[in-house]
Amino acid sequence: MSKRRSSIYKYTTFKQIDNFKNILDYGVYACPCALLNDPFEWERIVEEKKERYRIACLSFSTNSKLMWGHYANGHRGCMIHFVLPKDYDSTFESKHLLRKVNYENKMSYDKITTDFERLYHKDKKWQYEKEIRAVFDEKNYDDKQWNIIGGQVFYKIEVQGIYFGCEAYKESNYKDVLKMIHDYNQEHKKEIKVGRYKIKEGNKYSFALDRSFHFEEELKKNEIF
């Protein structure tokens, strides 16, 4: 019996629909060091080397209130589902490109010998993110693992599912996103699973998958076809 591969996620918005489409077409965007939300991650990297690295961030956390709030625009965005590569190694000593972030009370930079390795470490206050990331090094990378499109860098990983937040339907381009997923499935002969969360009745602080949601019905409701 084959071992089930673990799920990982990307919480995101679709305010800029091209950014959302890029995830479908190319993978997870790898941002420059300067765009990380914690400047202490890269302050010890030599200034002239900062442009050398890019970071693609994902998470083991599913259904996290904080992640929905911080990265998916307060449930107006979505949570994208991926699965780990078959050769992923979860051990601390792993040299796999995609690795769990090591959270520490104090970053032990003195024990880390390279800037590349430093970018897999974060302060413990970010532990709730349960982050897993891939670090791109422009001086040493495998083009089988990265897409470089128009100067932007993407970690190659295929979308398995898309789960809309409770308020996603309020976004002005919600219909465009529905159509984009439908067209992508048709063009690539894929069956990306699509779901939606809803606030639990009588409990405004909890949410769960909306079992009454069906993608095909949502397409018809929004006159996509």
Side-chain angles (χ1 to χ4, degrees), residues 69-113:
H70 293 168
Y71 298 107
N73 192 27
H75 268 274
R76 284 179 174 259
C78 63
M79 181 182 73
I80 302 178
H81 172 221
F82 306 89
V83 294
L84 288 168
K86 291 179 180 178
D87 61 344
Y88 172 73
D89 179 1
S90 64
T91 63
F92 180 76
E93 297 81 9
S94 171
K95 294 301 178 183
H96 196 285
L97 178 66
L98 193 64
R99 303 185 212 171
K100 289 187 291 187
V101 167
N102 182 34
Y103 296 100
E104 301 171 302
N105 286 320
K106 181 179 180 181
M107 291 187 179
S108 304
Y109 281 109
D110 293 339
K111 296 186 293 186
I112 306 171
T113 58

Short mmCIF file of all heavy atoms in Angstrom, two decimals, residues 69-113:
data_model
loop_
_atom_site.label_atom_id
_atom_site.label_comp_id
_atom_site.label_asym_id
_atom_site.label_seq_id
_atom_site.Cartn_x
_atom_site.Cartn_y
_atom_site.Cartn_z
N GLY A 69 -7.11 35.19 8.13
CA GLY A 69 -7.17 36.62 8.36
C GLY A 69 -5.98 37.38 7.80
O GLY A 69 -6.13 38.42 7.17
N HIS A 70 -4.78 36.84 8.00
CA HIS A 70 -3.56 37.54 7.61
C HIS A 70 -3.25 37.45 6.12
O HIS A 70 -2.73 38.40 5.52
CB HIS A 70 -2.37 36.97 8.38
CG HIS A 70 -2.42 37.27 9.84
ND1 HIS A 70 -1.60 36.67 10.77
CD2 HIS A 70 -3.22 38.11 10.56
CE1 HIS A 70 -1.89 37.12 11.98
NE2 HIS A 70 -2.87 37.98 11.87
N TYR A 71 -3.54 36.31 5.51
CA TYR A 71 -3.08 36.09 4.14
C TYR A 71 -4.19 35.92 3.11
O TYR A 71 -3.93 35.97 1.91
CB TYR A 71 -2.15 34.86 4.09
CG TYR A 71 -0.92 35.04 4.93
CD1 TYR A 71 -0.77 34.37 6.13
CD2 TYR A 71 0.10 35.90 4.52
CE1 TYR A 71 0.37 34.54 6.91
CE2 TYR A 71 1.24 36.09 5.30
CZ TYR A 71 1.36 35.40 6.50
OH TYR A 71 2.48 35.58 7.27
N ALA A 72 -5.41 35.69 3.56
CA ALA A 72 -6.52 35.50 2.62
C ALA A 72 -7.58 36.58 2.78
O ALA A 72 -8.76 36.35 2.54
CB ALA A 72 -7.13 34.11 2.79
N ASN A 73 -7.12 37.75 3.20
CA ASN A 73 -7.99 38.94 3.22
C ASN A 73 -9.27 38.70 4.01
O ASN A 73 -10.37 39.02 3.56
CB ASN A 73 -8.31 39.37 1.78
CG ASN A 73 -8.95 40.74 1.72
OD1 ASN A 73 -8.74 41.57 2.60
ND2 ASN A 73 -9.74 40.98 0.67
N GLY A 74 -9.12 38.14 5.21
CA GLY A 74 -10.29 37.95 6.07
C GLY A 74 -11.38 37.10 5.45
O GLY A 74 -12.56 37.45 5.49
N HIS A 75 -10.97 35.96 4.86
CA HIS A 75 -11.90 35.00 4.25
C HIS A 75 -12.46 35.46 2.90
O HIS A 75 -13.35 34.82 2.35
CB HIS A 75 -13.06 34.64 5.20
CG HIS A 75 -12.80 33.44 6.04
ND1 HIS A 75 -13.06 32.14 5.60
CD2 HIS A 75 -12.29 33.30 7.28
CE1 HIS A 75 -12.75 31.29 6.55
NE2 HIS A 75 -12.26 31.97 7.57
N ARG A 76 -11.95 36.56 2.35
CA ARG A 76 -12.37 36.97 1.01
C ARG A 76 -11.52 36.32 -0.07
O ARG A 76 -11.79 36.48 -1.26
CB ARG A 76 -12.30 38.50 0.87
CG ARG A 76 -13.43 39.23 1.59
CD ARG A 76 -13.28 40.73 1.44
NE ARG A 76 -14.43 41.44 1.99
CZ ARG A 76 -15.42 41.95 1.26
NH1 ARG A 76 -15.40 41.81 -0.05
NH2 ARG A 76 -16.43 42.58 1.85
N GLY A 77 -10.49 35.61 0.34
CA GLY A 77 -9.62 34.92 -0.60
C GLY A 77 -9.87 33.42 -0.57
O GLY A 77 -11.00 32.97 -0.43
N CYS A 78 -8.80 32.66 -0.66
CA CYS A 78 -8.95 31.20 -0.70
C CYS A 78 -7.74 30.51 -0.09
O CYS A 78 -6.70 31.12 0.17
CB CYS A 78 -9.15 30.73 -2.14
SG CYS A 78 -7.74 31.08 -3.22
N MET A 79 -7.90 29.22 0.15
CA MET A 79 -6.83 28.35 0.60
C MET A 79 -6.58 27.33 -0.51
O MET A 79 -7.50 26.61 -0.91
CB MET A 79 -7.23 27.65 1.90
CG MET A 79 -6.18 26.72 2.48
SD MET A 79 -6.76 25.89 3.99
CE MET A 79 -7.94 24.71 3.29
N ILE A 80 -5.36 27.30 -1.02
CA ILE A 80 -5.04 26.41 -2.14
C ILE A 80 -4.32 25.17 -1.61
O ILE A 80 -3.39 25.27 -0.80
CB ILE A 80 -4.17 27.14 -3.18
CG1 ILE A 80 -4.91 28.38 -3.69
CG2 ILE A 80 -3.83 26.21 -4.34
CD1 ILE A 80 -4.12 29.19 -4.69
N HIS A 81 -4.77 24.03 -2.06
CA HIS A 81 -4.26 22.74 -1.58
C HIS A 81 -3.24 22.17 -2.55
O HIS A 81 -3.48 22.11 -3.76
CB HIS A 81 -5.44 21.77 -1.40
CG HIS A 81 -5.04 20.37 -1.10
ND1 HIS A 81 -5.67 19.28 -1.66
CD2 HIS A 81 -4.07 19.85 -0.30
CE1 HIS A 81 -5.12 18.17 -1.21
NE2 HIS A 81 -4.14 18.50 -0.39
N PHE A 82 -2.10 21.73 -2.02
CA PHE A 82 -1.07 21.03 -2.77
C PHE A 82 -0.71 19.75 -2.01
O PHE A 82 -1.14 19.57 -0.87
CB PHE A 82 0.22 21.87 -2.90
CG PHE A 82 0.02 23.25 -3.45
CD1 PHE A 82 -0.26 24.33 -2.61
CD2 PHE A 82 0.13 23.51 -4.81
CE1 PHE A 82 -0.44 25.61 -3.11
CE2 PHE A 82 -0.04 24.79 -5.33
CZ PHE A 82 -0.32 25.84 -4.46
N VAL A 83 0.08 18.88 -2.63
CA VAL A 83 0.62 17.74 -1.89
C VAL A 83 2.14 17.79 -1.99
O VAL A 83 2.71 18.31 -2.95
CB VAL A 83 0.10 16.38 -2.41
CG1 VAL A 83 -1.38 16.24 -2.17
CG2 VAL A 83 0.43 16.18 -3.88
N LEU A 84 2.79 17.25 -0.97
CA LEU A 84 4.25 17.25 -0.94
C LEU A 84 4.83 16.39 -2.06
O LEU A 84 4.23 15.37 -2.44
CB LEU A 84 4.73 16.70 0.41
CG LEU A 84 4.55 17.61 1.61
CD1 LEU A 84 4.80 16.83 2.90
CD2 LEU A 84 5.48 18.81 1.53
N PRO A 85 5.99 16.76 -2.58
CA PRO A 85 6.65 15.92 -3.58
C PRO A 85 6.92 14.52 -3.03
O PRO A 85 7.09 14.34 -1.82
CB PRO A 85 7.97 16.66 -3.84
CG PRO A 85 7.70 18.07 -3.43
CD PRO A 85 6.73 18.00 -2.29
N LYS A 86 6.96 13.55 -3.90
CA LYS A 86 7.15 12.16 -3.48
C LYS A 86 8.47 11.95 -2.74
O LYS A 86 8.56 11.10 -1.87
CB LYS A 86 7.09 11.23 -4.70
CG LYS A 86 5.70 11.13 -5.32
CD LYS A 86 5.71 10.20 -6.54
CE LYS A 86 4.33 10.10 -7.15
NZ LYS A 86 4.32 9.22 -8.36
N ASP A 87 9.49 12.74 -3.08
CA ASP A 87 10.80 12.55 -2.47
C ASP A 87 11.03 13.46 -1.27
O ASP A 87 12.15 13.60 -0.78
CB ASP A 87 11.91 12.76 -3.50
CG ASP A 87 11.90 14.18 -4.08
OD1 ASP A 87 10.89 14.88 -3.92
OD2 ASP A 87 12.91 14.56 -4.71
N TYR A 88 9.97 14.09 -0.76
CA TYR A 88 10.11 15.00 0.37
C TYR A 88 10.62 14.25 1.60
O TYR A 88 10.18 13.13 1.90
CB TYR A 88 8.77 15.65 0.70
CG TYR A 88 8.78 16.47 1.97
CD1 TYR A 88 9.43 17.69 2.02
CD2 TYR A 88 8.15 15.99 3.13
CE1 TYR A 88 9.45 18.44 3.19
CE2 TYR A 88 8.17 16.73 4.30
CZ TYR A 88 8.82 17.95 4.33
OH TYR A 88 8.85 18.68 5.49
N ASP A 89 11.56 14.86 2.32
CA ASP A 89 12.14 14.29 3.52
C ASP A 89 11.86 15.24 4.68
O ASP A 89 12.30 16.40 4.67
CB ASP A 89 13.66 14.12 3.32
CG ASP A 89 14.36 13.56 4.54
OD1 ASP A 89 13.68 13.26 5.54
OD2 ASP A 89 15.60 13.43 4.50
N SER A 90 11.13 14.77 5.68
CA SER A 90 10.69 15.64 6.76
C SER A 90 11.69 15.75 7.91
O SER A 90 11.46 16.47 8.87
CB SER A 90 9.35 15.14 7.33
OG SER A 90 9.52 13.85 7.91
N THR A 91 12.82 15.05 7.84
CA THR A 91 13.78 15.08 8.93
C THR A 91 14.46 16.44 9.01
O THR A 91 14.58 17.16 8.02
CB THR A 91 14.86 13.99 8.75
OG1 THR A 91 15.60 14.25 7.56
CG2 THR A 91 14.22 12.61 8.67
N PHE A 92 14.94 16.78 10.20
CA PHE A 92 15.60 18.06 10.41
C PHE A 92 16.84 18.19 9.54
O PHE A 92 17.20 19.28 9.10
CB PHE A 92 15.98 18.22 11.89
CG PHE A 92 16.67 19.53 12.19
CD1 PHE A 92 15.93 20.71 12.26
CD2 PHE A 92 18.03 19.59 12.38
CE1 PHE A 92 16.56 21.92 12.52
CE2 PHE A 92 18.66 20.79 12.66
CZ PHE A 92 17.92 21.96 12.72
N GLU A 93 17.51 17.08 9.28
CA GLU A 93 18.75 17.10 8.50
C GLU A 93 18.49 17.15 6.99
O GLU A 93 19.43 17.17 6.19
CB GLU A 93 19.59 15.86 8.82
CG GLU A 93 20.07 15.76 10.26
CD GLU A 93 19.00 15.22 11.20
OE1 GLU A 93 17.95 14.75 10.69
OE2 GLU A 93 19.21 15.28 12.42
N SER A 94 17.23 17.19 6.60
CA SER A 94 16.88 17.14 5.18
C SER A 94 17.57 18.23 4.38
O SER A 94 17.70 19.37 4.83
CB SER A 94 15.37 17.28 5.02
OG SER A 94 15.03 17.43 3.66
N LYS A 95 17.99 17.88 3.18
CA LYS A 95 18.54 18.85 2.24
C LYS A 95 17.59 19.05 1.06
O LYS A 95 17.97 19.64 0.05
CB LYS A 95 19.92 18.39 1.75
CG LYS A 95 20.98 18.35 2.84
CD LYS A 95 21.18 19.71 3.49
CE LYS A 95 22.21 19.66 4.61
NZ LYS A 95 22.36 20.96 5.30
N HIS A 96 16.36 18.54 1.21
CA HIS A 96 15.36 18.76 0.18
C HIS A 96 15.11 20.25 0.05
O HIS A 96 15.17 21.00 1.02
CB HIS A 96 14.06 18.04 0.56
CG HIS A 96 13.10 17.88 -0.58
ND1 HIS A 96 12.34 18.92 -1.07
CD2 HIS A 96 12.77 16.80 -1.34
CE1 HIS A 96 11.59 18.49 -2.08
NE2 HIS A 96 11.83 17.20 -2.25
N LEU A 97 14.84 20.71 -1.16
CA LEU A 97 14.60 22.13 -1.39
C LEU A 97 13.41 22.63 -0.57
O LEU A 97 13.44 23.73 -0.01
CB LEU A 97 14.34 22.37 -2.88
CG LEU A 97 14.01 23.81 -3.27
CD1 LEU A 97 15.21 24.72 -3.03
CD2 LEU A 97 13.58 23.88 -4.73
N LEU A 98 12.35 21.80 -0.49
CA LEU A 98 11.15 22.17 0.27
C LEU A 98 11.32 21.64 1.69
O LEU A 98 11.42 20.44 1.90
CB LEU A 98 9.92 21.56 -0.40
CG LEU A 98 8.55 22.07 0.06
CD1 LEU A 98 8.38 23.55 -0.28
CD2 LEU A 98 7.44 21.27 -0.60
N ARG A 99 11.36 22.56 2.66
CA ARG A 99 11.63 22.15 4.04
C ARG A 99 10.73 22.88 5.03
O ARG A 99 10.34 24.02 4.81
CB ARG A 99 13.08 22.46 4.44
CG ARG A 99 14.12 21.86 3.56
CD ARG A 99 15.49 22.17 4.15
NE ARG A 99 16.49 22.32 3.12
CZ ARG A 99 17.72 22.76 3.34
NH1 ARG A 99 18.08 23.10 4.56
NH2 ARG A 99 18.56 22.88 2.34
N LYS A 100 10.47 22.20 6.14
CA LYS A 100 9.77 22.86 7.25
C LYS A 100 10.68 23.94 7.82
O LYS A 100 11.89 23.75 7.96
CB LYS A 100 9.43 21.84 8.35
CG LYS A 100 8.35 20.87 7.97
CD LYS A 100 7.94 20.02 9.16
CE LYS A 100 9.02 19.06 9.59
NZ LYS A 100 8.55 18.13 10.63
N VAL A 101 10.09 25.07 8.16
CA VAL A 101 10.84 26.14 8.79
C VAL A 101 11.19 25.72 10.22
O VAL A 101 10.38 25.13 10.93
CB VAL A 101 10.02 27.45 8.80
CG1 VAL A 101 10.63 28.49 9.73
CG2 VAL A 101 9.93 28.01 7.38
N ASN A 102 12.41 26.02 10.62
CA ASN A 102 12.85 25.73 11.97
C ASN A 102 12.61 26.97 12.84
O ASN A 102 13.20 28.02 12.63
CB ASN A 102 14.34 25.37 11.97
CG ASN A 102 14.83 25.01 13.36
OD1 ASN A 102 14.10 24.43 14.15
ND2 ASN A 102 16.08 25.34 13.65
N TYR A 103 11.70 26.85 13.82
CA TYR A 103 11.36 27.98 14.68
C TYR A 103 12.19 27.93 15.96
O TYR A 103 12.30 26.88 16.59
CB TYR A 103 9.88 27.95 15.04
CG TYR A 103 8.97 28.12 13.84
CD1 TYR A 103 8.36 27.02 13.25
CD2 TYR A 103 8.73 29.38 13.29
CE1 TYR A 103 7.53 27.17 12.14
CE2 TYR A 103 7.91 29.54 12.20
CZ TYR A 103 7.31 28.44 11.63
OH TYR A 103 6.50 28.58 10.54
N GLU A 104 12.76 29.09 16.34
CA GLU A 104 13.61 29.16 17.51
C GLU A 104 13.27 30.40 18.34
O GLU A 104 12.82 31.41 17.79
CB GLU A 104 15.08 29.23 17.10
CG GLU A 104 15.53 28.04 16.26
CD GLU A 104 16.92 28.25 15.70
OE1 GLU A 104 17.13 29.24 14.98
OE2 GLU A 104 17.79 27.42 15.99
N ASN A 105 13.51 30.32 19.66
CA ASN A 105 13.32 31.49 20.51
C ASN A 105 14.29 32.59 20.13
O ASN A 105 13.98 33.77 20.16
CB ASN A 105 13.51 31.13 21.99
CG ASN A 105 12.34 30.33 22.52
OD1 ASN A 105 11.20 30.60 22.20
ND2 ASN A 105 12.64 29.31 23.33
N LYS A 106 15.47 32.21 19.77
CA LYS A 106 16.48 33.15 19.29
C LYS A 106 17.16 32.51 18.10
O LYS A 106 17.60 31.38 18.16
CB LYS A 106 17.51 33.44 20.39
CG LYS A 106 18.58 34.43 19.94
CD LYS A 106 19.57 34.70 21.07
CE LYS A 106 20.63 35.68 20.63
NZ LYS A 106 21.62 35.94 21.69
N MET A 107 17.18 33.23 17.00
CA MET A 107 17.78 32.66 15.80
C MET A 107 19.28 32.40 16.03
O MET A 107 20.04 33.32 16.35
CB MET A 107 17.59 33.60 14.62
CG MET A 107 16.15 33.67 14.17
SD MET A 107 15.99 34.61 12.65
CE MET A 107 14.23 34.47 12.39
N SER A 108 19.68 31.17 15.87
CA SER A 108 21.07 30.78 16.13
C SER A 108 21.90 30.91 14.86
O SER A 108 22.38 29.92 14.31
CB SER A 108 21.10 29.34 16.67
OG SER A 108 20.29 29.23 17.80
N TYR A 109 22.06 32.14 14.42
CA TYR A 109 22.77 32.37 13.15
C TYR A 109 24.23 31.91 13.21
O TYR A 109 24.80 31.54 12.20
CB TYR A 109 22.72 33.85 12.77
CG TYR A 109 21.40 34.26 12.16
CD1 TYR A 109 20.51 35.06 12.87
CD2 TYR A 109 21.05 33.84 10.89
CE1 TYR A 109 19.31 35.44 12.32
CE2 TYR A 109 19.84 34.21 10.33
CZ TYR A 109 18.97 35.02 11.06
OH TYR A 109 17.78 35.38 10.51
N ASP A 110 24.81 31.98 14.39
CA ASP A 110 26.22 31.61 14.51
C ASP A 110 26.45 30.15 14.16
O ASP A 110 27.55 29.76 13.78
CB ASP A 110 26.72 31.89 15.93
CG ASP A 110 26.75 33.37 16.25
OD1 ASP A 110 26.78 34.17 15.28
OD2 ASP A 110 26.74 33.73 17.44
N LYS A 111 25.39 29.34 14.27
CA LYS A 111 25.53 27.91 13.98
C LYS A 111 25.24 27.60 12.51
O LYS A 111 25.45 26.49 12.05
CB LYS A 111 24.57 27.10 14.86
CG LYS A 111 24.88 27.19 16.35
CD LYS A 111 23.98 26.25 17.13
CE LYS A 111 22.52 26.68 17.08
NZ LYS A 111 21.65 25.85 17.95
N ILE A 112 24.74 28.60 11.80
CA ILE A 112 24.38 28.39 10.39
C ILE A 112 25.46 28.98 9.51
O ILE A 112 25.87 30.13 9.68
CB ILE A 112 23.02 29.04 10.08
CG1 ILE A 112 21.96 28.56 11.07
CG2 ILE A 112 22.59 28.72 8.66
CD1 ILE A 112 20.65 29.30 10.99
N THR A 113 25.92 28.21 8.56
CA THR A 113 27.11 28.61 7.80
C THR A 113 26.80 29.38 6.52
O THR A 113 27.68 30.05 5.99
CB THR A 113 27.94 27.36 7.43
OG1 THR A 113 27.11 26.46 6.68
CG2 THR A 113 28.45 26.67 8.68
#
